[in-house]
Amino acid sequence: MIPVNVHTLAKHLVQKSKYLETAHDLLRDFTRHHRIQLSLELRKALDVVKRYLNEHSIEAKIYTFDPNVIKDSFITFGWELEKARIEIVGPEGTMSFSSDDTRLLAVAHSPSGIASGEITLMGKDQDLAGRIVIITENHRVNYLKAIERNASAVIFTRKTQDPGAFPYFGLFISKEILETKGIPAVSLPWAYSRRIIRSIKRGEKVNAIVEVKSRFVNEKVPALVAKVGDSDPNIMGFAHSCHPTPGAHDNGSGVAGLFLALLYLKDILMVHEIKGSFTAIFAPEYSGSLAYVIERQNDIRTMGVINLDMIGSTSIDDPIKVSHGWIRTPSYVEPSFYVAMRILESTPGSRLQRKGFKVTSYSSGSDHDIFNFYGVPSFHVFQGIDPYYHTSSDRLENVDMLLVRDIAIGTALLNVIVREDFIKDATRMYYEHLVLTSIGSSVENIIAYKELIQENKIPREPPEEYSPQENITGNPLLDKPLTMGVILERYGPEKYNAISTRFERREISDMLFYVLGHMRSGFNVKDIGRLGRIDLGISEEDVLTLLEVLDVT
């Protein structure tokens, strides 16, 4: 076997750009499917990835899990769209759209139904009987209010950078409510919605016919798992595979990147003697990672998890970012990826030479949350939200395949770098740098960090492997993570609104996983405040406020 020179290997992989056309073809075939969570189309999309992996001699298996194992954390169920349409008649004339134009016309999880009537705006305490209400904010809560006020259908809309694009919405509320009380819901581009809203505010009548034909199906949670290498230690990679068609950047780009990483690493292992293995998981966001961790926790022994989500858009110039993992579970994997990215930044021909790369504070919103909650270190690699995020314009031509290639190379190379002798010293320096440059005061954070190490609450050196941690508190509320959809169902709209308004929505999402995940592992409020100041820029007071509104003791 040939000794490894990582710089030479990076240069070779960039210059050859092997498999790039194959990854593009995979992305084309993958994005044709309307990948709503637990839908038949999602399973077909995973079959596409499996076929491409098999064609390159990488074995892959699709596991399926009972959705009941995640029902306390995440609301999801099988749903299939057959057709949808809307016809609007107003002072500016008639316009109509159907699911033949885009399947995003139907809001995901909308029940079947047909309604006709006057379009109105959501106001306070009004009777909406027989009317079609247009909703511009707080969509799930207002959908429930529309049901209570006897509306016949709803139109969801929001401002998007591409005003002509159909925005993606999912209801993610109780299936029982949707089946017994639900009303049809469609989505409309802001370019058309704002004209309707202006007409209504001028006192002009706008009428519509809304029709959705859909069905709920009993599908399981799928996860496609592939592996290269056959020895320990193991590293894991994750890319969520759901979202409506086309969903190319979110998250076809992550799927293509993880696919490429497997192919590159397979080629590396054929030439270089490297111990270890890499397991790649393609599954629906949150539901897939959560079901996998719960059902296969006895099989998870890993150094850490890299999560690829929205890793290459031609529409933004943002650098590639790593949202670092929780400081309490350090890992050799994240610093190894950092080294790989720095090497690629200086490699001639790489896209990273122009785009750049940086490490950011912890941020939630993807499957790294699940692994971190259970004590398995995970970090999020992403470029950012582009103008076409969660819309019908998130198409294949907007994906930067060269940037996807670079992230895939970095993911493959981290499996090499993590075995290097220098990585222990590099890891210590990496985490000290994170603490120094975190959101809060660097002096206070350094003091807190060193105290936590001395108190054995942070390992002095990362362990060789992690497994999902048990809930040591005895509090059943901390068995599984909480998401905002479950809070809406469990606590009701009033508590949901109280939590949402107490914190910014993204911040509350960060804190839900972070605070409850640390509590289930035995950290007290003071320790969570000290760690949270480093990871999130939150305080002990913020932790207490969250626990108060959730009634957690």
Side-chain angles (χ1 to χ4, degrees):
M1 291 287 185
I2 302 171
V4 182
N5 182 308
V6 179
H7 289 268
T8 302
L9 191 54
K11 184 178 179 181
H12 170 77
L13 290 170
V14 169
Q15 288 180 345
K16 291 293 184 181
S17 291
K18 195 176 179 183
Y19 306 122
L20 201 56
E21 186 175 339
T22 302
H24 184 275
D25 291 345
L26 163 69
L27 191 53
R28 177 200 63 213
D29 295 344
F30 179 80
T31 56
R32 287 172 176 162
H33 293 283
H34 195 46
R35 309 178 307 277
I36 303 298
Q37 295 220 5
L38 276 64
S39 67
L40 298 172
E41 284 288 295
L42 172 61
R43 178 61 185 264
K44 290 177 182 178
L46 290 176
D47 284 335
V48 168
V49 181
K50 183 175 183 289
R51 173 170 57 82
Y52 272 82
L53 287 168
N54 292 162
E55 288 173 357
H56 290 84
S57 302
I58 295 176
E59 291 188 8
K61 179 179 179 179
I62 295 179
Y63 295 87
T64 58
F65 308 108
D66 186 342
N68 286 321
V69 303
I70 63 170
K71 67 179 182 180
D72 294 332
S73 292
F74 189 80
I75 297 173
T76 189
F77 40 80
W79 177 85
E80 296 289 335
L81 173 66
E82 294 184 22
K83 69 175 183 177
R85 69 182 179 98
I86 183 171
E87 183 175 332
I88 301 164
V89 180
E92 297 184 19
T94 301
M95 55 183 170
S96 61
F97 305 97
S98 79
S99 51
D100 291 335
D101 301 312
T102 173
R103 281 178 276 183
L104 271 73
L105 173 64
V107 171
H109 314 127
S110 169
S112 289
I114 184 167
S116 62
E118 184 179 347
I119 301 177
T120 189
L121 307 180
M122 176 65 80
K124 189 176 182 180
D125 300 327
Q126 88 235 58
D127 183 9
L128 301 172
R131 295 189 174 190
I132 297 168
V133 61
I134 190 164
I135 298 173
T136 61
E137 61 183 5
N138 210 0
H139 295 84
R140 277 187 289 192
V141 170
N142 282 322
Y143 178 82
L144 293 173
K145 287 181 180 178
I147 292 174
E148 290 174 0
R149 298 177 190 174
N150 303 308
S152 59
V154 299
I155 299 170
F156 281 5
T157 190
R158 60 179 168 85
K159 291 182 180 179
T160 55
Q161 291 192 53
D162 179 1
F166 283 78
Y168 161 50
F169 294 100
L171 290 173
F172 292 103
I173 59 177
S174 164
K175 180 182 175 184
E176 181 182 357
I177 290 175
L178 292 171
E179 287 184 314
T180 59
K181 302 177 182 178
I183 55 178
V186 294
S187 168
L188 205 59
W190 184 247
Y192 303 106
S193 301
R194 65 186 174 193
R195 286 158 52 188
I196 295 170
I197 293 169
R198 287 171 186 164
S199 293
I200 294 171
K201 287 182 176 180
R202 289 195 298 261
E204 299 167 343
K205 284 193 173 184
V206 183
N207 293 293
I209 299 172
V210 170
E211 181 182 13
V212 175
K213 190 174 182 182
S214 63
R215 58 193 176 97
F216 297 103
V217 294
N218 295 319
E219 278 293 299
K220 292 189 175 183
V221 183
L224 172 65
V225 182
K227 185 177 181 180
V228 293
D230 56 6
S231 63
D232 293 329
N234 175 261
I235 295 169
M236 294 172 66
F238 195 97
H240 81 76
S241 52
C242 56
H243 285 357
T245 182
H249 185 225
D250 184 18
N251 184 37
S253 64
V255 168
L258 194 56
F259 167 77
L260 277 173
L262 285 165
L263 268 57
Y264 290 144
L265 185 58
K266 176 176 175 286
D267 285 356
I268 291 170
L269 295 178
M270 289 177 65
V271 179
H272 304 284
E273 187 174 1
I274 300 167
K275 290 185 177 180
S277 57
F278 181 70
T279 300
I281 304 168
F282 307 83
E285 192 170 25
Y286 282 164
S287 63
S289 50
L290 181 56
Y292 187 87
V293 171
I294 291 172
E295 293 290 88
R296 298 190 62 80
Q297 56 185 298
N298 294 333
D299 300 324
I300 297 175
R301 298 188 307 277
T302 184
M303 297 181 78
V305 184
I306 178 171
N307 176 35
L308 306 184
D309 189 354
M310 294 188 285
I311 61 171
S313 171
T314 59
S315 306
I316 51 176
D317 288 326
D318 296 27
I320 284 293
K321 295 175 279 291
V322 163
S323 169
H324 68 71
W326 295 356
I327 207 82
R328 76 172 175 95
T329 47
S331 165
Y332 293 119
V333 177
E334 189 178 316
S336 298
F337 185 74
Y338 177 87
V339 172
M341 290 290 97
R342 290 300 180 214
I343 290 171
L344 283 164
E345 268 190 322
S346 61
T347 300
S350 76
R351 183 70 90 203
L352 278 171
Q353 276 195 316
R354 182 168 65 83
K355 293 284 189 179
F357 165 78
K358 69 177 183 179
V359 178
T360 69
S361 60
Y362 179 78
S363 178
S364 73
S366 190
D367 295 273
H368 56 290
D369 296 332
I370 300 297
F371 291 99
N372 284 315
F373 180 86
Y374 285 98
V376 177
S378 181
F379 60 99
H380 180 198
V381 182
F382 71 117
Q383 186 187 16
I385 293 175
D386 71 3
Y388 311 114
Y389 172 73
H390 279 195
T391 74
S392 56
S393 294
D394 184 10
R395 294 188 287 265
L396 178 59
E397 58 264 30
N398 300 320
V399 174
D400 186 340
M401 290 303 297
L402 294 181
L403 194 52
V404 171
R405 173 206 63 190
D406 287 358
I407 302 306
I409 292 172
T411 303
L413 290 180
L414 82 82
N415 286 268
V416 178
I417 295 167
V418 78
R419 327 291 177 195
E420 298 287 343
D421 292 337
F422 71 82
I423 201 60
K424 288 192 175 183
D425 288 337
T427 296
R428 186 185 67 255
M429 290 186 289
Y430 176 83
Y431 282 103
E432 288 177 354
H433 179 71
L434 283 188
V435 176
L436 278 169
T437 57
S438 60
I439 298 171
S441 163
S442 59
V443 174
E444 289 181 4
N445 286 346
I446 280 289
I447 292 172
Y449 180 65
K450 289 185 175 180
E451 287 176 349
L452 288 160
I453 289 176
Q454 290 170 356
E455 296 165 12
N456 294 319
K457 292 173 179 173
I458 297 177
R460 291 182 182 275
E461 288 188 2
E464 273 295 305
E465 65 181 27
Y466 285 90
S467 295
Q469 295 176 348
E470 295 292 330
N471 174 12
I472 67 171
T473 69
N475 186 341
L477 184 63
L478 303 176
D479 283 340
K480 297 171 185 175
L482 275 179
T483 58
M484 290 302 286
V486 170
I487 287 175
L488 176 59
E489 182 173 273
R490 184 178 298 175
Y491 294 98
E494 187 175 339
K495 177 72 76 171
Y496 178 92
N497 285 331
I499 295 171
S500 297
T501 54
R502 186 74 68 94
F503 304 99
E504 290 292 330
R505 178 160 174 74
R506 173 61 71 178
E507 183 180 333
I508 185 65
S509 182
D510 291 343
M511 291 177 63
L512 276 172
F513 283 96
Y514 192 86
V515 173
L516 300 183
H518 280 78
M519 283 192 71
R520 80 186 300 276
S521 297
F523 287 88
N524 60 38
V525 170
K526 179 182 177 182
D527 290 340
I528 298 172
R530 289 193 290 173
L531 290 162
R533 187 168 59 232
I534 297 169
D535 285 331
L536 288 175
I538 62 174
S539 66
E540 185 177 336
E541 183 181 352
D542 293 326
V543 176
L544 287 168
T545 300
L546 177 67
L547 297 179
E548 178 187 340
V549 296
L550 288 175
D551 299 323
V552 177
T553 57

